[in-house]
Amino acid sequence: MIRPIVIYLLLLLIFRVSGKRTMTDTTPFDMVLLLIISETVQEALIDDDHSMTSAAVLIITLVMTDVLISYLKRSKKIERMIEGTALIIVEDGKPIADRLKRERIDEHDIIEAARETHGLERIDQIKFAVLEKNGQITIIPMKKK
Amino acid sequence: MPTGRHSVPQLQQVQLKRIILCDSRSPVHAPDKCGENISPYVEACALAQFYMRKKGTMEEHKGIHIDQDIEHNKRSHKRRIFGMWMFALFLLLVMAGLTGHGLLSDKKMTDPVTGETLETQKYIRYESPVDLIVHANTSASEAGDSLFDISLPSSYLENFTIESILPQPEITESSNDRMVFRFRISKGASQQLVIFHMRADKMLRHVTGEMILESKGKFFLSHYIYP
């Protein structure tokens, strides 16, 4: 029971430290990376015990840990600590350079999101681009005159 | 102030009512109306006001409501950089042998009297293999005796599974809380190489014990087992 909790918290820490954008852009390489991580974690979680009891204990422990964390996230402080906050990265068509650098995002990521969601062609057509807590970039286009 | 119905966050009705009417901190606190049905728009506007008054919970930025906190983001970035450095340091220590093979972990001990040697690792990982490589001096064996003993404390061996011993011992016996492994040696041989292939069974502990050879050579074994 301790093992899945430790692994859960370790993964939480690793993904928090690596930043929001680590796993949002799923390129083929990221897919492979995810598979390797899941395989490694599986080895550490189940050890040599392949029984159904072990699987049940493991799944229940992980789900209960997740539920507990979601309860803890009711506290704004803890929620921010675990998930961070949203961040405006483009304002009135102008990218905010220091925020982009901090979050390891470049303008191509933003214009790609703008193209995908609103069919925009240029960055100056964006009123706001927001880096959400889940790492996605949401676009609010300029109002058409 | 909210600019329209669509700019207000979607929240549970029950939670809204409790906050805006029953909570004394709410800007529209109305104990007499607590539990009364009011329009969702009024509820939502009140909640938005309530949140905006609480510093840092929700910010209105040029017409959009956003849970943004630049200072928190900067602090968080610094923590992430620190975390990355810690991970890098950890990997360097791993490469140096803090959790297994490496400069910090690999030990070669020599008995000053008999000149016998033992190679092993100080830091090992749970379920990972660990070897005890003994270069024993068999010339000191009793005359005519073609057997050579190596003994290890039972309390030490309790922490490991012995996967194999090369060469295989002729006899294995327990005596006085120690496990004695008796090897056959060829006549006239002055050196004998013995390898214990083991696997750590317990974790998060410091395991110590003394290996005693028939030639009176002694080695103090000390391992730390990581999870």
Side-chain angles (χ1 to χ4, degrees), chain B residues 133-182:
Chain B
I133 303 170
V134 187
H135 290 273
N137 184 358
T138 52
S139 56
S141 293
E142 288 170 25
D145 187 2
S146 58
L147 294 174
F148 178 81
D149 292 352
I150 294 179
S151 74
L152 285 161
S154 303
S155 59
Y156 172 85
L157 290 173
E158 275 168 9
N159 299 287
F160 299 94
T161 299
I162 298 178
E163 300 211 309
S164 66
I165 303 173
L166 286 174
Q168 279 195 338
E170 194 79 7
I171 302 161
T172 304
E173 59 188 17
S174 179
S175 78
N176 298 333
D177 297 331
R178 294 185 75 83
M179 195 70 86
V180 180
F181 303 92
R182 192 157 287 170

Side-chain angles (χ1 to χ4, degrees), chain B residues 29-150:
Chain B
H29 174 52
D32 52 321
K33 288 184 184 172
C34 192
E36 214 175 80
N37 280 333
I38 55 168
S39 80
Y41 177 63
V42 172
E43 281 179 349
C45 287
L47 187 83
Q49 282 179 37
F50 172 70
Y51 270 131
M52 278 187 285
R53 282 188 180 199
K54 280 177 81 180
K55 190 182 171 228
T57 52
M58 189 171 293
E59 186 183 311
E60 183 173 345
H61 187 86
K62 291 189 180 175
I64 62 164
H65 287 145
I66 181 167
D67 181 19
Q68 178 180 251
D69 185 337
I70 304 298
E71 286 311 307
H72 178 274
N73 185 268
K74 283 181 183 169
R75 282 198 304 273
S76 172
H77 175 66
K78 280 180 188 163
R79 284 187 206 125
R80 284 207 310 269
I81 298 286
F82 176 75
M84 283 292 183
W85 278 109
M86 286 296 107
F87 285 161
L89 179 68
F90 173 71
L91 290 180
L92 279 175
L93 289 173
V94 169
M95 281 196 284
L98 191 72
T99 62
H101 283 287
L103 277 175
L104 295 173
S105 181
D106 293 344
K107 297 275 172 214
K108 185 172 182 179
M109 293 172 265
T110 307
D111 186 279
V113 181
T114 61
E116 292 163 316
T117 61
L118 170 74
E119 291 168 48
T120 187
Q121 293 115 49
K122 182 166 175 59
Y123 301 108
I124 52 182
R125 301 176 201 172
Y126 173 66
E127 291 272 294
S128 69
V130 57
D131 290 341
L132 300 178
I133 303 170
V134 187
H135 290 273
N137 184 358
T138 52
S139 56
S141 293
E142 288 170 25
D145 187 2
S146 58
L147 294 174
F148 178 81
D149 292 352
I150 294 179

Side-chain angles (χ1 to χ4, degrees), chain A residues 91-107:
Chain A
E91 196 172 325
D92 296 325
K94 292 186 186 76
I96 306 170
D98 62 323
R99 296 183 195 174
L100 293 182
K101 196 179 164 192
R102 274 206 302 269
E103 299 298 334
R104 290 184 283 130
I105 298 171
D106 62 23
E107 291 180 22

